[in-house]
């Protein structure tokens, strides 16, 4: 039987993905794709990637952009620290490396937002260097094939998987092998309904031979997700809406949002800022799930009779509804603005 890596390389050449827009591109573009693909599926990433490189074609262009411009392109992709770290890293590469993407693994690790697996993927895919990756898909493939017990995010299990990933590296064709691992996890050895009959390494897969494909890898230990509530105020005057830019760190850092208050604070907020309300409409509530909590959002539309000078005091701005959709927005705010576009003024 051929070595694990040899079977994967042969399979990738025949059945793997060869038309992803970042394949065969520069280290810069491979890096962009790897950051975008963290916690996000390929189908979702592709249109964001294409828009991103159309505006920021190289490191110099990204470094020269404002954070606002970068986050506007990232808006809707989630995990916004990734976008901020992209911008920081581009600036550092311009300052420290003369605009050249560093080839050294350790230098890559020193850059914001680049961890061990991402650095390895860049080295392998851009320069065919012999480096092991261990993203979520690869963890699942290795855990099933070698029968690794335990939750793959646990420290001990992850260390075991890293050792396994290093041991399976081929002497040559690291770029093809790395892409094969990614493709196998995304296309065949999927979380649910894996296509075991199409797997090139099924003959010695421990999970398949022991009928534990649906049990490996072990599920993440369940814990209660905290529930939070907030009221979003859609402050309108004619065709304009007021948005506030959030602090640079924390949830939705640096993004534009409606004023967010707790239940019972609406009257005090309006009075404090001198707003006079002509009409008030409670919109349909909905929820948004973060990694560590679930936020229940209660939107309230308020048509105002006046517009106090609030922007200078709080970092808020009045924007036309259409223009606001092009700002750097978190997904729930973009959803509310799009719904608002369907509502004529005065409705």
């Amino acid at each position: 039987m051929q070595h694990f890596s040899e079977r994967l390389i042969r399979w990738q050449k025949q059945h793997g993905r060869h038309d992803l827009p970042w394949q065969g591109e520069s280290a810069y573009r491979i890096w962009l794709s790897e950051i975008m693909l963290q916690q996000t599926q390929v189908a979702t990433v592709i249109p964001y990637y294409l828009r991103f490189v159309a505006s920021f074609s190289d490191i110099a262009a990204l470094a020269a952009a404002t954070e606002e411009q970068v986050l506007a392109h990232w808006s809707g992709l989630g995990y916004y620290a990734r976008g901020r770290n992209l911008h920081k890293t581009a600036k550092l590469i311009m300052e420290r490396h003369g605009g050249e993407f560093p080839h050294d693994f350790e230098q890559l690790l020193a850059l914001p937002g680049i961890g061990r697996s991402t650095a390895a993927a860049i080295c392998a895919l851009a320069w065919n260097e012999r480096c092991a990756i261990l993203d979520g898909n690869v963890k699942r493939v290795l855990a099933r094939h070698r029968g690794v017990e335990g939750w793959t995010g646990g420290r001990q299990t992850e260390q075991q998987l890293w050792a396994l990933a290093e041991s399976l590296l081929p002497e040559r064709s690291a770029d093809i092998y790395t892409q094969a691992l990614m493709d196998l996890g995304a296309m065949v050895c999927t979380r649910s309904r894996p296509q075991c009959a199409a797997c090139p390494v099924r003959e010695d897969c421990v999970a398949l031979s022991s009928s534990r494909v649906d049990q490996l890898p072990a599920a993440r230990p369940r814990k209660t997700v905290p529930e939070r509530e907030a009221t979003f105020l859609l402050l309108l005057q004619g065709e304009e809406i007021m948005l506030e830019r959030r602090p640079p760190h924390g949830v939705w850092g640096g993004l534009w949002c409606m004023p967010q208050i707790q239940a019972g604070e609406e009257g005090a907020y309006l009075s404090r800022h001198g707003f006079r309300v002509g009409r008030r409409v409670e919109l349909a509530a909905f929820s948004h799930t973060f990694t560590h909590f679930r936020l229940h959002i209660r939107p309230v539309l308020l048509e105002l009779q006046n517009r106090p000078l609030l922007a200078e005091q709080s970092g808020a701005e009045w924007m036309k509804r259409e223009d606001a959709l092009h700002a750097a927005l978190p997904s729930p705010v973009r959803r509310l603005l799009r719904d608002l576009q369907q509502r004529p003024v005065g409705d």
Side-chain angles (χ1 to χ4, degrees):
M1 186 182 298
Q2 282 186 314
H3 189 273
F4 178 85
S5 62
E6 292 174 337
R7 285 177 282 166
L8 279 189
I9 290 169
R10 184 179 61 187
W11 173 84
Q12 205 284 329
K13 290 177 179 179
Q14 294 179 344
H15 305 290
R17 297 176 293 193
H18 301 276
D19 57 354
L20 298 176
W22 46 82
Q23 286 180 304
E25 291 287 345
S26 65
Y28 166 71
R29 297 192 175 202
I30 290 170
W31 163 61
L32 289 182
S33 70
E34 286 299 313
I35 300 299
M36 289 183 173
L37 287 166
Q38 293 170 1
Q39 310 288 334
T40 312
Q41 294 184 341
V42 166
T44 301
V45 163
I46 287 176
Y48 280 91
Y49 170 85
L50 293 175
R51 285 195 296 269
F52 210 89
V53 297
S55 296
F56 314 118
S57 59
D58 54 25
I59 292 173
L62 179 54
T66 65
E67 183 178 279
E68 169 76 10
Q69 290 171 324
V70 174
L71 290 179
H73 282 71
W74 197 272
S75 181
L77 199 54
Y79 301 95
Y80 291 93
R82 295 182 297 169
R84 292 193 294 273
N85 283 333
L86 276 178
H87 194 219
K88 292 176 186 175
T89 292
K91 288 185 172 184
L92 287 173
I93 290 175
M94 293 301 295
E95 294 168 6
R96 298 178 182 176
H97 304 284
E100 290 291 325
F101 213 90
H103 284 221
D104 182 77
F105 181 83
E106 296 299 328
Q107 288 181 329
L108 288 175
L109 281 180
L111 294 170
I114 299 183
R116 180 178 175 183
S117 187
T118 300
I122 295 168
C123 288
L125 297 174
W127 305 302
N128 195 23
E129 292 184 7
R130 194 170 176 270
C131 297
I133 66 167
L134 194 66
D135 64 11
N137 280 337
V138 177
K139 287 180 178 180
R140 183 169 59 254
V141 168
L142 298 184
R144 282 177 174 164
H145 190 264
R146 296 304 170 99
V148 177
E149 305 286 348
W151 173 50
T152 58
R155 183 177 179 183
Q156 186 172 357
T157 305
E158 191 169 53
Q159 288 177 340
Q160 184 179 354
L161 289 170
W162 269 118
L164 184 56
E166 295 280 359
S167 71
L168 292 171
L169 281 171
E171 292 299 325
R172 292 187 295 272
S173 302
D175 53 346
I176 301 174
Y177 172 72
T178 298
Q179 189 64 53
L181 274 175
M182 295 175 172
D183 290 353
L184 190 70
M187 300 166 61
V188 176
C189 193
T190 51
R191 189 184 309 276
S192 58
R193 297 185 179 180
Q195 308 297 311
C196 294
C199 179
V201 291
R202 63 186 178 275
E203 289 89 348
D204 52 345
C205 174
V206 172
L208 183 61
S209 64
S210 61
S211 301
R212 290 191 297 155
V213 173
D214 60 342
Q215 299 170 29
L216 293 174
R220 180 176 188 153
R222 301 194 67 172
K223 63 179 182 179
T224 303
V225 178
E227 309 274 343
R228 302 182 189 175
E229 297 182 355
T231 298
F232 281 24
L233 301 180
L234 284 69
L235 301 171
L236 296 180
Q237 192 176 61
E239 282 289 350
E240 294 189 322
I241 185 167
M242 197 192 83
L243 297 179
E244 296 176 341
R245 191 167 189 181
R246 294 179 68 92
H249 303 292
V251 175
W252 295 334
L255 304 185
W256 291 95
C257 299
M258 291 96 179
Q260 182 177 328
I261 61 173
Q262 297 303 307
E265 295 180 351
E266 183 180 326
Y269 177 90
L270 296 173
S271 176
R272 182 167 66 250
H273 296 297
F275 288 123
R276 295 196 305 274
V277 178
R279 194 168 73 108
R280 180 182 185 279
V281 181
E282 291 197 14
L283 305 179
F286 62 99
S287 298
H288 182 77
T289 302
F290 295 88
T291 307
H292 302 299
F293 69 95
R294 183 176 294 110
L295 180 64
H296 301 288
I297 297 170
R298 176 175 163 265
V300 178
L301 188 154
L302 299 167
E303 292 184 1
L304 303 176
Q305 297 176 332
N306 68 330
R307 190 159 84 180
L309 293 175
L310 183 66
E312 291 81 356
Q313 304 167 18
S314 66
E317 280 191 21
W318 289 93
M319 303 182 189
K320 290 185 177 180
R321 291 196 245 175
E322 182 66 33
D323 293 341
L325 282 168
H326 300 290
L329 308 169
S331 295
V333 173
R334 185 173 297 278
R335 169 180 170 174
L336 286 170
L337 285 173
R338 283 179 174 157
D339 290 346
L340 202 58
Q341 287 296 88
Q342 308 303 316
R343 177 189 294 269
V345 177
D347 265 22

